Amino acid sequence: MRIAFLIAGAAALAACTPEPEPVEAATADSVAAPQVSEIEAVMEDSAAGWNEGDMGRFLAIYSDAPETSFVGSGGLMRGKAAMEERYREAYDWSQPDPAERGVLTFETEDVRALGDGHALYIGRYILTYPEGREPATGFTSLVFAREDDGWRIVADHSS
């Protein structure tokens, strides 16, 4: 009897719950156009650093704040020094031809404001290799903060 009463009560509550309002998908239009272009410009500059074998330029997109985080298959790490160590161990930066490490590009999927001075960038990274090797690709979700010197990543989750 108690179970029947509980089931009836749950069904009555479910019937009273209003249907959620549909949420419109955010697009690059949901963030001011200058912000989107500024964020895409720092993404392109970071990729150019990678493609030229310039680790400093590649990592310049990240905030210098010690709590800046990166989450990937190896787990959570904090700070640019830890990220640099990860990239130096995972990729051969000594190659005379940086393309051997892969040519990096990004495709923007979505950019949206997260409040004053913060934005979420969702995109796809693509590493294209010479000699017909399959590209490495995956999604990245980046939280940007507007700092004195421009947009910087404060949280990166790439898979």
Side-chain angles (χ1 to χ4, degrees):
M1 180 70 175
R2 281 189 167 155
I3 292 178
F5 180 72
L6 289 174
I7 292 172
L13 283 175
C16 294
T17 304
E19 199 57 37
E21 292 292 320
V23 177
E24 187 175 317
T27 65
D29 295 334
S30 64
V31 175
Q35 292 174 332
V36 173
S37 62
E38 290 170 18
I39 289 170
E40 288 180 330
V42 294
M43 294 294 291
E44 289 174 17
D45 190 61
S46 180
W50 175 280
N51 296 336
E52 294 170 9
D54 183 343
M55 176 75 77
R57 185 175 176 191
F58 169 66
L59 291 175
I61 195 171
Y62 290 94
S63 173
D64 289 327
E67 63 273 9
T68 296
S69 62
F70 176 89
V71 177
S73 60
L76 171 68
M77 64 183 64
R78 293 196 184 276
K80 282 168 82 169
M83 289 181 227
E84 180 172 353
E85 183 179 329
R86 176 207 179 271
Y87 282 110
R88 289 209 187 274
E89 289 175 2
Y91 298 93
D92 186 357
W93 289 79
S94 67
Q95 287 285 334
D97 180 5
E100 293 295 321
R101 189 177 47 263
V103 174
L104 179 62
T105 57
F106 293 102
E107 293 177 356
T108 301
E109 297 289 330
D110 188 19
V111 180
R112 68 179 80 168
L114 295 178
D116 220 13
H118 288 84
L120 173 64
Y121 172 95
I122 299 173
R124 176 178 289 282
Y125 67 86
I126 303 161
L127 278 172
T128 307
Y129 298 100
E131 301 173 24
R133 276 177 55 192
E134 283 295 312
T137 185
F139 282 98
T140 186
S141 301
L142 308 171
V143 176
F144 278 86
R146 172 89 108 162
E147 296 185 350
D148 291 341
D149 58 348
W151 288 99
R152 297 291 175 253
I153 297 169
V154 295
D156 177 342
H157 182 201
S158 297
S159 59

